[in-house]
Amino acid sequence: MVGKVAIVTGGTRGIGLEITRALTGEGYKVAAIYAGNEEAAKLCEQETGAKAYKADVSKFDQCAAVEKQIEAELGPIDVLINNAGITRDGMMHKMDVEDWLAVIETNLTSCFNMCRAIITGMRERKQGRIINISSINGQKGQLGQSNYAAAKAGVLGFTKSLALESAPKGITVNAICPGYIETDMTAHINQNVLDNIIQQIPAGRMGQPQEIAEMVLYLCCEKASFVNGSTFSINGGQYMAA
């Protein structure tokens, strides 16, 4: 895939960093979008050779601007990975509206913002790959995560609709639903809670970021050109969606 350009939102940490590593390893020119962690962005650039771009993907204007900058510096966008996400957990009867909106806008609205910025170019070129990172909790729900689960479930409906619109133009749009993966985000979960979660995973362990990145690589390749509008669950058997 030498020369192809890929954008990875939230691409300098966690699952996003592993996706950036995988894509650069296959010869992609990767633009890793980050929100504000400058140290992580620099380390990502040094390690992978990707170029980090700072933008708040919950803001439409910033997404449009960063897409133009990336295209001017790296070339037309071939692949978009919508991976950026945050959590603001809390029971519904205690949740602030700010926590609801922050999660919905960062995890779901960002997918619209970025896709709206790149979709016209992909349609004109009659090719492209869009991969949206959802979550097991968008499939089954989760206590204290009504905002996160709603956003990630919304990503799945968004994926199917955009796939229907885009297939005639040679663009595939798919979603990946990771289960519990060893990242900075899950590292903050209480160990007793994590132990209980692992007991619910038939594989008996948490997933690795590389396992998500491998699926991304497949969906980006030519062999996956007939895979469209699909949801891929990578959760060790914890939740088996039909």
Side-chain angles (χ1 to χ4, degrees), residues 94-112:
K94 296 181 179 180
M95 185 176 291
D96 295 331
V97 66
E98 292 80 10
D99 289 338
W100 171 268
L101 291 174
V103 170
I104 295 295
E105 290 170 1
T106 300
N107 297 14
L108 176 58
T109 303
S110 64
C111 292
F112 167 79

Side-chain angles (χ1 to χ4, degrees), residues 30-81:
V30 178
I33 296 179
Y34 70 102
N37 191 321
E38 302 288 349
E39 182 179 358
K42 290 177 182 177
L43 289 173
C44 173
E45 287 185 324
Q46 291 169 4
E47 179 195 338
T48 68
K51 186 165 184 180
Y53 293 82
K54 186 175 181 179
D56 181 348
V57 291
S58 72
K59 308 299 183 186
F60 182 83
D61 290 346
Q62 290 192 36
C63 290
V66 78
E67 187 279 333
K68 288 180 180 177
Q69 182 183 0
I70 291 167
E71 190 161 290
E73 295 178 0
L74 302 183
I77 311 305
D78 299 290
V79 172
L80 170 63
I81 315 296

Side-chain angles (χ1 to χ4, degrees), residues 13 97 119 161 194 202 231:
R13 299 171 64 193
V97 66
I119 196 67
S161 297
L194 269 183
T231 300

